[in-house]
PDB file of all heavy atoms in Angstrom:
ATOM      1  N   GLY A 978       1.923  49.400   1.253  1.00  0.00           N
ATOM      2  CA  GLY A 978       2.560  49.897   2.467  1.00  0.00           C
ATOM      3  C   GLY A 978       2.414  48.938   3.619  1.00  0.00           C
ATOM      4  O   GLY A 978       3.144  49.052   4.600  1.00  0.00           O
ATOM      5  N   GLN A 984       2.904  40.481   1.660  1.00  0.00           N
ATOM      6  CA  GLN A 984       3.513  39.151   1.584  1.00  0.00           C
ATOM      7  C   GLN A 984       2.447  38.072   1.464  1.00  0.00           C
ATOM      8  O   GLN A 984       2.591  37.108   0.688  1.00  0.00           O
ATOM      9  CB  GLN A 984       4.377  38.898   2.816  1.00  0.00           C
ATOM     10  CG  GLN A 984       5.118  37.563   2.744  1.00  0.00           C
ATOM     11  CD  GLN A 984       5.926  37.276   3.964  1.00  0.00           C
ATOM     12  OE1 GLN A 984       5.375  36.928   5.008  1.00  0.00           O
ATOM     13  NE2 GLN A 984       7.239  37.441   3.864  1.00  0.00           N
ATOM     14  N   THR A1136      -8.127 -32.038  16.778  1.00  0.00           N
ATOM     15  CA  THR A1136      -7.398 -32.715  17.854  1.00  0.00           C
ATOM     16  C   THR A1136      -6.656 -31.698  18.733  1.00  0.00           C
ATOM     17  O   THR A1136      -6.729 -31.767  19.971  1.00  0.00           O
ATOM     18  CB  THR A1136      -6.360 -33.713  17.267  1.00  0.00           C
ATOM     19  OG1 THR A1136      -7.081 -34.719  16.542  1.00  0.00           O
ATOM     20  CG2 THR A1136      -5.542 -34.361  18.370  1.00  0.00           C
ATOM     21  N   VAL A1178      -7.545 -18.237 -15.490  1.00  0.00           N
ATOM     22  CA  VAL A1178      -7.003 -16.999 -16.064  1.00  0.00           C
ATOM     23  C   VAL A1178      -6.543 -17.246 -17.494  1.00  0.00           C
ATOM     24  O   VAL A1178      -6.746 -16.413 -18.379  1.00  0.00           O
ATOM     25  CB  VAL A1178      -5.873 -16.439 -15.199  1.00  0.00           C
ATOM     26  CG1 VAL A1178      -5.210 -15.233 -15.857  1.00  0.00           C
ATOM     27  CG2 VAL A1178      -6.409 -16.018 -13.820  1.00  0.00           C
ATOM     28  N   LEU A1181      -9.636 -17.298 -19.633  1.00  0.00           N
ATOM     29  CA  LEU A1181     -10.221 -15.973 -19.744  1.00  0.00           C
ATOM     30  C   LEU A1181      -9.412 -15.090 -20.677  1.00  0.00           C
ATOM     31  O   LEU A1181      -9.964 -14.407 -21.539  1.00  0.00           O
ATOM     32  CB  LEU A1181     -10.332 -15.332 -18.365  1.00  0.00           C
ATOM     33  CG  LEU A1181     -10.917 -13.921 -18.312  1.00  0.00           C
ATOM     34  CD1 LEU A1181     -12.369 -13.942 -18.764  1.00  0.00           C
ATOM     35  CD2 LEU A1181     -10.797 -13.323 -16.931  1.00  0.00           C
TER      36      LEU A1181
END
Side-chain angles (χ1 to χ4, degrees):
Q984 184 182 75
T1136 298
V1178 173
L1181 179 65

